[in-house]
Amino acid sequence: MIGLDAIGMAAATLPAAVAAHHACDREAPTRWRNAGFWGLFAVLLGVGPWLPDLLAGCLVLVMVGLATWGLRPSAVASSDAEQRAASAVRLGGRLFVPALMLPAVTLAGTLSVGKGRIAGVALIDPKQVTLVALVAGSIVALLLAVRLTRPPRTAPVAEARRLVDSIGWAMVLPQMLAALGGVFAMAGVGKVVASGVVNIVALDTPLAGTIAYCVGMALFTMVLGNAFAAFPIMTAGIGLPLLIRHFGGDPAVVAALGMLSGFCGTLMTPMAANFNLVPAAVLELRDRFGVIRVQWPTALMLLAFNITVLTLCAFPGGLR
């Protein structure tokens, strides 16, 4: 049955290809350093579940050492500005087809294989149908892009390396911060947060509890840099015991809008470097925090919207 292990192996192909491309570049002065970092990341993604915990932890420390030593990007053969402009004119709106194919295949796969059964056979873990559909959509989008643009054979890997080098070690932040959230949850940080909030604010109505949950998700995400790290803390501390068990909130609505509130925090923090600081660096913006300055009004409006919808739709009595 296709589950998280297979998804991890599929995800490992990107850093593995980047590592191999670095290793084959004899002109790059730091090729082995870069190849080692992305190669270890591929190993952890692909076969991490089968590695001893101590070994996996040591590999992470080696990655930290390599990143601290410095992951220096090097020149990668690519098309020039004139070639890209000519290709854009030739292809026109068809350039958007591969990008749109990714969400289309993901949505179609999620809706059509909701229980993980294909032709009556259980092939996919029902809990991981969306992720499997996302992997399938990525493959379809890549093949379609190659078919459409007809680049050199090595172009997909070379362009992947160029983009990964531009982002650097920040590409690993989502996985690291999500793991940090799991550690915090197991350490009981959620209970401490809940007790602290209860002592400060009277959470005697669904509206008060919803405000504490959504705002807390946004604030913790701003501190930790990732909504996946904040989610287990706030959900274990406020979402599950208060909104769901005490007030009878719909678990699906509470979880979905709680995570969306965390994403509002992602839009407003430099800790989410891979979303906010890296794009500014890649696009060579003059204002390092320019992305955040543009996003924060939308984030606040969306956060207020989440609080309103969650209060009105998740609880049997609605707003009271």
Side-chain angles (χ1 to χ4, degrees):
M1 181 175 291
I2 302 175
L4 276 179
D5 295 341
I7 295 171
M9 292 180 181
T13 56
L14 173 61
V18 172
H21 200 278
H22 270 294
C24 294
D25 187 0
R26 296 183 178 182
E27 297 181 0
T30 60
R31 62 166 175 158
W32 293 118
R33 191 186 312 170
N34 292 28
F37 180 88
W38 297 112
L40 289 177
F41 187 37
V43 170
L44 290 171
L45 283 177
V47 299
W50 296 283
L51 295 178
D53 294 340
L54 179 60
L55 176 58
C58 290
L59 294 181
V60 171
L61 293 177
V62 173
M63 289 180 62
V64 172
L66 292 173
T68 304
W69 192 5
L71 302 177
R72 299 178 182 176
S74 53
V76 180
S78 181
S79 57
D80 55 32
E82 293 182 359
Q83 291 175 324
R84 288 193 291 269
S87 178
V89 171
R90 177 174 59 87
L91 296 174
R94 289 180 293 168
L95 281 172
F96 294 98
V97 175
L100 296 175
M101 189 60 62
L102 176 57
V105 173
T106 303
L107 179 62
T110 302
L111 296 179
S112 61
V113 197
K115 296 183 179 180
R117 292 181 173 273
I118 300 178
V121 181
L123 296 178
I124 304 173
D125 183 352
K127 298 180 180 179
Q128 311 302 336
V129 169
T130 300
L131 290 179
V132 174
L134 177 61
V135 172
S138 302
I139 296 174
V140 171
L142 175 61
L143 294 176
L144 186 58
V146 171
R147 174 69 177 177
L148 186 65
T149 60
R150 299 184 181 277
R153 293 182 179 180
T154 59
V157 177
E159 292 301 318
R161 172 189 161 183
R162 183 178 62 83
L163 180 60
V164 166
D165 283 353
S166 299
I167 298 174
W169 60 266
M171 182 177 172
V172 187
L173 274 179
Q175 289 79 11
M176 294 295 184
L177 293 173
L180 179 62
V183 172
F184 281 173
M186 294 182 65
V189 176
K191 295 180 180 179
V192 176
V193 172
S195 62
V197 172
V198 170
N199 292 332
I200 298 174
V201 183
L203 305 180
D204 52 355
T205 65
L207 177 59
T210 297
I211 293 175
Y213 179 57
C214 292
V215 174
M217 274 294 302
L219 292 177
F220 262 85
T221 300
M222 293 177 69
V223 173
L224 298 175
N226 190 292
F228 291 98
F231 184 76
I233 300 174
M234 295 305 301
T235 302
I238 297 178
L240 183 59
L242 186 67
L243 299 185
I244 295 176
R245 291 178 179 173
H246 182 67
F247 290 120
D250 187 327
V253 178
V254 171
L257 292 180
M259 182 63 78
L260 186 57
S261 298
F263 294 155
C264 294
T266 301
L267 297 177
M268 298 186 288
T269 176
M271 287 297 293
N274 52 323
F275 292 107
N276 299 329
L277 298 186
V278 170
V282 172
L283 297 175
E284 299 180 352
L285 301 181
R286 295 180 179 179
D287 186 355
R288 183 184 180 191
F289 303 102
V291 175
I292 298 175
R293 297 184 198 280
V294 173
Q295 292 176 161
W296 72 263
T298 302
L300 291 179
M301 289 189 291
L302 184 58
L303 182 60
F305 175 80
N306 291 343
I307 294 173
T308 303
V309 174
L310 180 54
T311 306
L312 292 176
C313 299
F315 306 104
L319 182 61
R320 67 178 186 270

